[in-house]
C-alpha cells in the first residue's frame, strides 16, 4: 500500500530536519509542542485545488468518451467500454505502479504519473480526431487508467507533507469540496465542448487533469529507509472500513456516470443531455461535502447506515425508468458521496487528537 504518515516519523528538531534535506522551518514548536509539517495556508489550498482537479479526466470521461464513441463507432454505449477498460486498468495498476515509487519523493513521483496520464489522454483525443480504430482509443484509455490509481494514492499521501495532522479534517473537507465542484462542472464542460468536437473535449479535460502537477508544492524530503522497514500492516480495520465505504459509494456513482448518456437517450434526449444526471449527482455531492465540512467530524454508525440505505434507494429509483425518479435517485446517491471519506475523517481526527494529547 502507499506509505502512510504513521511510517514517516516526525523529526525531533530543526537540525535533524535540515540534515534530511527538509527546510529548517518545516518543524516549529508552539507552546512546547511540535507543529509537524509547518502548515502554510497557501500550501493547503494548493493541495486542495490539486486534489479537486485531479478527478477532471475521470469525471469528464463519462460524457467525452461516449461522444467520442459516437463519432468513431456510431454507438455512444461503446463509450462505456472505454471507460470500463480505463477503470479496470486503474484497479490492476494501482498497487504495482505505487510500489515503483517506494523510496522516491512522493510529490515528484506523482507529477511523473500525471505526465503519463496526460500523454495517454492526448493520445485518446488524437485517435478520436483522426478516426483511428476504436481499439486504439481503448488502448490509450487503458494507459491513462493504469497510472491513475497510484497517482491518487501519492496525491493523498502528499498531504502528510503539506498539512498539519490536527487540521487534516478541514483540509480533506476543502479538498472534497474542490473535487465535487470539479465533478459538477467537468461533465457539463465536456458535453458543451463535445457538441463541437469530441477530441477537443478530451484534450481539455486532459489539460485540466494536468494542472495538479503544475500547482502542487514541492517537497525535498524522501521517505527514510528506516521508515520503509517499519511499515505497519496495510489491511487494518480502518482501511477495510474505508474500502467498504468507498466501494459502495463509488460503485453507485460510477454506475450513474457510465450510464448517463444511455439514460438520456433512453428518455429520447440527445447524448449531451447525459450531463443532467451527472450534474444532479455532483450538485448533490457538493451539498453533502459542504455539510460534511461544516460538521467537521466523523459520522456516527447510525448516520453511516442511513447513508448506505439512501444509496440503495437512490439506485432503485434510477432503475424505475422514470425521468423524475432518476433525477431524485441521482440526488440521493450524490448527497451520500461523502460516505467514502468517512473513515479518512476518523483517522484524521484520531491522529490530531493523539498529537494534541502528546
Amino acid at each position: 500500500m502507499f506509505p502512510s504518515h504513521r511510517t514517516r516519523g516526525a523529526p525531533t528538531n530543526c537540525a535533524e530536519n535540515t540534515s534530511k534535506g527538509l527546510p529548517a522551518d518545516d518543524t516549529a514548536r508552539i507552546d512546547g509542542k511540535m507543529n509537524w509539517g509547518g502548515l502554510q495556508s497557501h500550501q493547503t489550498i494548493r493541495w486542495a485545488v490539486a486534489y479537486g482537479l485531479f478527478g477532471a479526466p475521470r469525471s469528464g470521461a463519462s460524457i467525452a468518451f461516449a461522444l467520442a464513441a459516437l463519432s468513431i463507432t456510431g454507438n455512444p454505449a461503446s463509450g462505456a467500454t472505454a471507460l470500463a477498460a480505463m477503470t479496470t486498468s486503474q484497479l490492476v495498476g494501482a498497487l504495482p505502479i505505487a510500489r515503483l515509487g517506494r523510496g522516491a519523493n512522493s510529490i515528484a513521483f506523482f507529477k511523473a504519473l500525471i505526465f503519463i496520464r496526460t500523454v495517454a489522454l492526448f493520445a485518446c483525443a488524437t485517435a478520436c480526431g483522426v478516426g483511428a480504430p476504436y481499439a486504439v482509443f481503448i488502448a490509450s484509455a487503458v494507459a491513462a487508467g493504469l497510472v491513475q490509481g497510484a497517482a491518487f494514492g501519492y496525491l493523498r499521501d502528499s498531504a502528510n507533507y503539506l498539512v498539519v495532522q490536527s487540521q487534516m479534517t478541514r483540509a480533506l473537507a476543502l479538498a472534497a469540496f474542490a473535487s465535487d465542484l470539479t465533478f459538477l462542472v467537468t461533465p457539463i464542460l465536456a458535453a458543451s465542448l463535445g457538441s463541437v468536437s469530441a477530441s477537443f473535449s478530451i484534450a481539455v479535460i486532459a489539460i485540466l487533469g494536468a494542472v495538479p502537477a503544475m500547482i502542487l508544492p514541492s517537497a525535498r524530503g524522501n521517505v527514510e529507509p528506516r521508515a520503509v522497514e517499519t511499515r505497519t500492516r496495510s489491511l487494518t480495520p480502518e482501511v477495510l472500513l474505508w474500502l467498504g465505504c468507498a466501494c459502495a459509494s463509488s460503485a453507485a456513482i460510477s454506475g450513474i456516470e457510465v450510464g448517463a448518456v444511455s439514460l438520456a437517450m433512453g428518455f429520447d434526449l440527445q447524448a449531451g443531455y447525459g450531463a443532467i444526471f451527472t450534474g444532479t449527482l455532483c450538485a448533490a455531492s457538493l451539498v453533502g461535502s459542504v455539510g460534511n465540512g461544516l460538521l467537521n467530524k466523523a459520522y456516527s454508525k447510525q448516520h453511516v447506515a442511513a447513508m448506505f440505505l439512501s444509496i440503495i434507494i437512490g439506485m432503485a429509483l434510477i432503475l424505475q425508468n422514470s425521468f423524475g425518479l432518476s433525477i431524485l435517485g441521482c440526488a440521493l446517491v450524490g448527497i451520500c458521496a461523502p460516505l467514502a471519506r468517512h473513515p479518512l475523517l476518523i483517522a484524521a481526527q484520531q491522529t490530531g487528537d493523539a498529537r494534541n494529547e502528546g
Side-chain angles (χ1 to χ4, degrees):
M1 295 294 288
F2 306 107
S4 78
H5 62 273
R6 292 193 182 97
T7 66
R8 296 182 181 276
T12 56
N13 54 56
C14 293
E16 184 179 353
N17 238 3
T18 305
S19 67
K20 292 171 183 172
L22 292 171
D25 62 355
D26 269 4
T27 303
R29 288 188 178 276
I30 298 178
D31 297 329
K33 296 182 180 180
M34 200 67 70
N35 180 21
W36 182 70
L39 175 67
Q40 300 291 332
S41 60
H42 68 89
Q43 288 187 337
T44 302
I45 293 172
R46 286 166 66 183
W47 178 81
V49 173
Y51 187 99
L53 289 177
F54 173 82
R58 181 62 181 81
S59 61
S62 58
I63 300 294
F65 280 13
L67 296 175
L70 184 62
S71 66
I72 296 174
T73 68
N75 181 13
S78 300
T81 303
L83 192 59
M86 184 172 75
T87 303
T88 302
S89 68
Q90 176 179 330
L91 295 173
V92 171
L95 289 178
I97 299 297
R99 288 194 180 102
L100 293 178
R102 287 187 301 182
N105 183 298
S106 293
I107 297 178
F109 191 69
F110 165 77
K111 292 181 178 181
L113 295 179
I114 289 297
F115 175 78
I116 295 172
R117 184 181 73 169
T118 303
V119 171
L121 287 172
F122 271 110
C124 286
T126 302
C128 176
V130 302
Y134 195 55
V136 175
F137 183 87
I138 292 179
S140 300
V142 166
L146 196 63
V147 299
Q148 189 159 271
F152 176 77
Y154 278 99
L155 175 61
R156 173 60 184 86
D157 183 61
S158 67
N160 297 319
Y161 295 105
L162 305 172
V163 181
V164 170
Q165 289 297 327
S166 62
Q167 299 189 28
M168 185 68 77
T169 300
R170 289 197 182 279
L172 285 173
L174 178 62
F177 179 85
S179 179
D180 290 333
L181 189 61
T182 297
F183 271 77
L184 172 63
V185 174
T186 309
I188 299 173
L189 179 64
S192 301
L193 297 177
S195 63
V196 178
S197 170
S199 59
F200 181 60
S201 176
I202 296 173
V204 169
I205 63 174
I207 293 172
L208 288 175
V211 170
M214 304 176 200
I215 67 172
L216 198 67
S218 297
R220 286 179 280 173
N222 293 337
V223 180
E224 299 176 48
R226 182 175 63 181
V228 176
E229 294 173 0
T230 59
R231 290 166 62 197
T232 56
R233 188 164 55 95
S234 297
L235 294 179
T236 62
E238 291 80 9
V239 171
L240 292 174
L241 175 60
W242 173 75
L243 286 173
C245 291
C247 286
S249 60
S250 297
I253 291 169
S254 297
I256 294 172
E257 290 176 344
V258 171
V261 171
S262 297
L263 273 173
M265 298 187 74
F267 294 119
D268 297 325
L269 300 173
Q270 295 181 358
Y273 282 93
I276 294 176
F277 301 100
T278 56
T280 301
L281 173 75
C282 297
S285 180
L286 194 61
V287 172
S289 290
V290 170
N292 182 218
L294 294 175
L295 185 65
N296 195 33
K297 64 180 181 180
Y299 302 123
S300 66
K301 293 180 180 179
Q302 293 79 8
H303 200 161
V304 170
M307 293 173 80
F308 268 120
L309 182 61
S310 294
I311 289 176
I312 294 172
I313 294 174
M315 293 304 295
L317 291 176
I318 293 172
L319 296 175
Q320 298 306 307
N321 199 30
S322 165
F323 182 82
L325 291 179
S326 295
I327 293 295
L328 178 59
C330 290
L332 283 175
V333 172
I335 204 165
C336 297
L339 176 65
R341 296 185 293 273
H342 164 64
L344 291 178
L345 295 177
I346 291 178
Q349 274 195 324
Q350 289 177 342
T351 304
D353 293 343
R355 291 188 182 279
N356 289 334
E357 292 173 1

